[in-house]
């Protein structure tokens, strides 16, 4: 009985606590990408749903986002706006990504609330987040939509994104180390 308990404990530690091997994560992501494409008839994307979230909030506040060019000139976007949150596959995927990341972090005992060290750090984080969000929208995708789905479909933009994400990560890490750490 003791040996079975040890094996069970080792299994759950490997599944819930230890990091997943990269190759297994790649296989799971590829499988989910194929399922997503088959279900929604479009590549996996993240940032379009965030645009819809902002538009839905603006609607609740009395605004008319359906008059914006993003919705007025694009039947697919307008349809998503009219359908609402629960009918938007991208929104459901985004919530799943956020919830999954939280659950994985909690299960690995890695969740920490960190104190913000300075106003400068908070401002840098806010500006960086806004620039990343803006960049993702004007590039028609983030690391999932532009990179992951782009490379999977052998699109040139995915390969160009690959080069420049490394350049951006290198430069960003140098700036971070010099000015914020």
């Amino acid at each position: 009985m003791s040996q079975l308990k040890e094996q069970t404990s080792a299994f759950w530690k490997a599944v819930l606590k230890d990091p997943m091997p990269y190759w297994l994560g790649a296989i799971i992501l590829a499988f989910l990408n194929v399922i997503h494409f088959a279900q929604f008839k479009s590549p996996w994307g993240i940032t379009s749903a965030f645009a819809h979230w902002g538009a839905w909030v603006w609607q609740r506040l009395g605004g008319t986002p359906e008059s914006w060019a993003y919705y007025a000139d694009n039947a697919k976007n307008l349809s998503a706006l009219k359908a609402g949150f629960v009918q938007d596959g991208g929104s459901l995927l985004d919530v799943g990504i956020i919830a999954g990341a939280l659950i994985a972090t909690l299960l690995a005992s890695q969740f920490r609330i960190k104190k913000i060290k300075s106003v400068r750090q908070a401002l840098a984080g806010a500006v960086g987040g806004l620039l990343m969000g803006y960049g993702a929208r004007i590039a028609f995708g983030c690391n999932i939509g532009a990179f992951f789905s782009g490379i999977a479909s052998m699109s040139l933009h995915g390969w160009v994104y690959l080069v420049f994400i490394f350049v951006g990560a290198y430069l960003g890490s140098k700036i971070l180390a010099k000015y914020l750490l």
Side-chain angles (χ1 to χ4, degrees):
M1 187 66 168
S2 167
Q3 185 180 7
L4 179 61
K5 188 174 182 180
E6 278 183 32
Q7 288 175 340
T8 304
S9 177
F11 171 78
W12 287 114
K13 181 180 180 291
V15 170
L16 299 176
K17 192 91 168 149
D18 293 344
M20 182 185 299
Y22 290 128
W23 62 267
L24 181 58
I27 290 170
I28 292 170
L29 283 174
F31 180 72
L32 291 173
N33 196 26
V34 168
I35 289 174
H36 178 275
F37 194 81
Q39 176 66 33
F40 296 110
K41 309 292 188 257
S42 67
W44 193 358
I46 300 297
T47 59
S48 295
F50 294 148
H52 300 327
W53 292 5
W56 289 321
V57 168
W58 186 243
Q59 273 184 325
R60 292 285 183 168
L61 296 173
T64 57
E66 56 275 354
S67 65
W68 300 345
Y70 184 75
Y71 292 104
D73 298 343
N74 187 313
K76 183 178 177 185
N77 290 341
L78 185 59
S79 175
L81 181 69
K82 289 179 180 178
F85 182 83
V86 176
Q87 297 299 316
D88 183 40
S91 291
L92 299 178
L93 279 169
D94 287 357
V95 169
I97 289 169
I98 294 166
L102 176 63
I103 291 167
T105 303
L106 291 171
L107 289 172
S109 302
Q110 295 296 313
F111 184 81
R112 305 280 185 279
I113 296 177
K114 294 183 178 182
K115 181 180 176 186
I116 297 172
K117 295 177 184 175
S118 66
V119 172
R120 184 178 181 181
Q121 182 189 33
L123 185 61
V127 169
L130 289 170
L131 287 172
M132 286 174 54
Y134 180 72
R137 288 309 308 142
I138 65 169
F140 295 111
C142 62
N143 59 334
I144 293 176
F147 175 63
F148 182 69
S149 294
I151 286 183
S153 63
M154 296 302 284
S155 175
L156 177 61
H157 85 277
W159 296 99
V160 171
Y161 188 98
L162 173 68
V163 170
F164 283 97
I165 199 161
F166 278 108
V167 170
Y170 176 79
L171 294 174
S173 66
K174 294 296 182 188
I175 291 168
L176 182 67
K178 184 172 183 174
Y179 295 108
L180 295 175
L181 296 178

